[in-house]
Amino acid sequence: MTGTAAPFAADDYRARMERAARSAAEAGLAGLLVAPGPDMVWLTGYAPTAVTERLTLLVLAPGQDPVLVVPTLEAPDAAKAAGASALTLRDWTDGKDPYAATAALLAAGGRFGISDNAWAMHLLGLQKALPGTSYASLTEALPMLRAVKDTAELELLAAAGAAADATFEEIRKVPFGGRRESEVAADLADLLRRFGHSQVDFTIVASGPNGANPHHEVGDRVIERGDMVVLDFGGLKDGYGSDTSRTVHVGEPTDEERRVHDLVRAAQEAGFRAVRPGVPCQEVDRAARAVIADAGYGEYFIHRIGHGIGVTTHEPPYMIEGEEQPLVPGMCFSVEPGVYLPGRFGVRIEDIVTVTEDGGRRLNDTTREMVIVD
């Protein structure tokens, strides 16, 4: 993972690691094994400059000091991480067995949560060193590990959302008609960086019939007058994510295009209004989906209503049918209904929303009305 580390101190990381170890015990786990990636960044502030075949692994267990197993040649960088003073570094040199070194830290017959992005060779190496251990995906075992944000995290997410909003306010001023999707996407990336993003994760520009593909890969299609254009963009600013979507129109829209856009806007509002503590995640999806289904477009809303966001732009919780996890103040996620008419056009409107004590608060504030561009 790249991106500027968030401005947290060692005590913040110590508290996170302690909480993660307690959560592991409550889930019946002997501990957590965290590979390089977003979980390690969130827990320690450490992001290796390159992830290689050499084992790097954070070991967390109840009643045990956190230990970061790290290659000797990378130990100096690991020691500079913001959370390094809250853990013990245990380095290993080339030619030694890193799995044996790690196994010494683990309960021989324990069940451990392990990062989803851990390499198979590392998991298999641990299983060989300790045949009696078993493992569960960290997302499955502790899906809410990073889901509830503290005040500082919420401020960073709000700042990332404001930067994405500033990007939209600028992009709506640029010419669309007669330019390629790839050119507008490059403008979006440049603007995100201008407004403080260190990492751009995606810049979807889906014009005309391409808008009917929610994850359209930007191409060389020339945007034409009369096109609806779905814009979906985001990335990381100061280590925390932004993600917003707006749908603009090149020139005056047809009555049907306005009607569909108004429908999606109403659905987005319904999803937002459903956000409050204690409500199951699936109810946010249901609220927005009902608006679209009642208007006869249900079959054209083909994805979940939203996903969590934090140190990555997609993470738990997921706003989807079947997810009964109750909403908790501090959770942050997207609310992004869409209607996609194959071969014709699509509309999506997306805000990041955080759960408050009595409802929800949007972290994106640009207009949700139809925006006309040149």
Side-chain angles (χ1 to χ4, degrees):
M1 175 180 170
T2 60
T4 305
F8 297 105
D11 285 348
D12 297 309
Y13 293 111
R14 180 180 290 106
R16 289 177 183 179
M17 287 188 281
E18 290 174 352
R19 177 156 62 89
R22 287 196 305 270
S23 297
E26 292 166 1
L29 299 172
L32 302 179
L33 307 177
V34 183
D39 291 318
M40 183 173 285
V41 171
W42 185 78
L43 287 163
T44 71
Y46 178 49
T49 53
V51 179
T52 71
E53 74 285 354
R54 293 184 174 93
L55 178 71
T56 297
L57 201 67
L58 174 67
V59 180
L60 299 177
Q64 177 178 309
D65 289 340
V67 177
L68 181 62
V69 178
V70 62
T72 299
L73 76 169
E74 295 174 9
D77 287 339
K80 297 175 185 175
S85 64
L87 51 78
T88 298
L89 284 178
R90 182 165 298 184
D91 65 316
W92 61 276
T93 58
D94 285 352
K96 302 294 185 180
D97 185 351
Y99 307 113
T102 306
L105 304 170
L106 308 182
R111 180 170 177 78
F112 295 87
I114 189 166
S115 299
D116 295 26
N117 58 328
W119 287 21
M121 65 179 286
H122 297 322
L123 176 56
L124 294 171
L126 290 171
Q127 287 178 318
K128 184 177 181 181
L130 280 178
T133 54
S134 60
Y135 302 87
S137 156
L138 196 53
T139 294
E140 178 184 343
L142 294 177
M144 296 297 112
L145 179 63
R146 305 194 318 260
V148 179
K149 276 63 180 180
D150 62 24
T151 301
E153 290 182 292
L154 290 173
E155 289 176 355
L156 289 165
L157 283 162
D165 283 357
T167 294
F168 178 71
E169 294 295 355
E170 291 299 313
I171 201 68
R172 60 185 289 185
K173 301 174 186 176
V174 309
F176 278 70
R179 301 178 69 212
R180 299 183 187 279
E181 291 177 342
S182 56
E183 293 175 304
V184 177
D187 288 343
L188 279 171
D190 289 345
L191 287 165
L192 284 169
R193 293 189 182 97
R194 184 200 300 177
F195 291 114
H197 281 64
S198 58
Q199 177 176 317
V200 176
D201 286 346
F202 46 88
T203 52
I204 295 174
V205 178
S207 62
N210 289 340
N213 177 1
H215 281 177
H216 169 65
E217 291 287 340
V218 167
D220 289 331
R221 183 182 185 275
V222 175
I223 302 170
E224 301 174 356
R225 188 164 187 81
D227 278 349
M228 195 84 89
V229 185
V230 178
L231 304 173
D232 186 347
F233 50 94
L236 298 183
K237 180 183 185 296
D238 296 326
Y240 279 75
S242 68
D243 185 2
T244 189
S245 300
R246 294 292 186 263
T247 303
V248 302
H249 198 278
V250 186
E252 285 299 316
T254 65
D255 289 346
E256 182 189 21
E257 288 169 334
R258 282 196 180 277
R259 185 170 64 252
V260 172
H261 190 279
D262 287 346
L263 173 64
V264 174
R265 182 164 55 85
Q268 207 270 347
E269 179 68 17
F272 170 68
R273 293 297 175 190
V275 175
R276 60 185 183 277
V279 169
C281 291
Q282 66 182 3
E283 293 301 329
V284 181
D285 185 279
R286 288 175 175 177
R289 197 170 299 276
V291 173
I292 292 173
D294 288 350
Y297 287 87
E299 66 183 291
Y300 303 113
F301 180 13
I302 56 177
H303 55 74
R304 66 194 175 204
I305 192 68
H307 56 82
I309 190 168
V311 293
T312 59
T313 49
H314 280 223
E315 61 185 47
Y318 297 103
M319 305 298 113
I320 189 171
E321 180 67 32
E323 179 52 80
E324 297 181 351
Q325 166 68 42
L327 298 180
V328 176
M331 283 182 175
C332 293
F333 47 85
S334 64
V335 177
E336 50 177 307
V339 167
Y340 308 95
L341 303 178
R344 301 182 62 208
F345 64 89
V347 176
R348 182 163 63 256
I349 300 173
E350 173 186 15
D351 294 325
I352 298 302
V353 172
T354 184
V355 185
T356 64
E357 294 297 331
D358 57 1
R361 175 169 67 96
R362 285 184 166 106
L363 301 186
N364 296 105
D365 293 317
T366 55
T367 182
R368 295 164 200 92
E369 301 284 345
M370 171 82 76
V371 169
I372 308 300
V373 297
D374 292 332

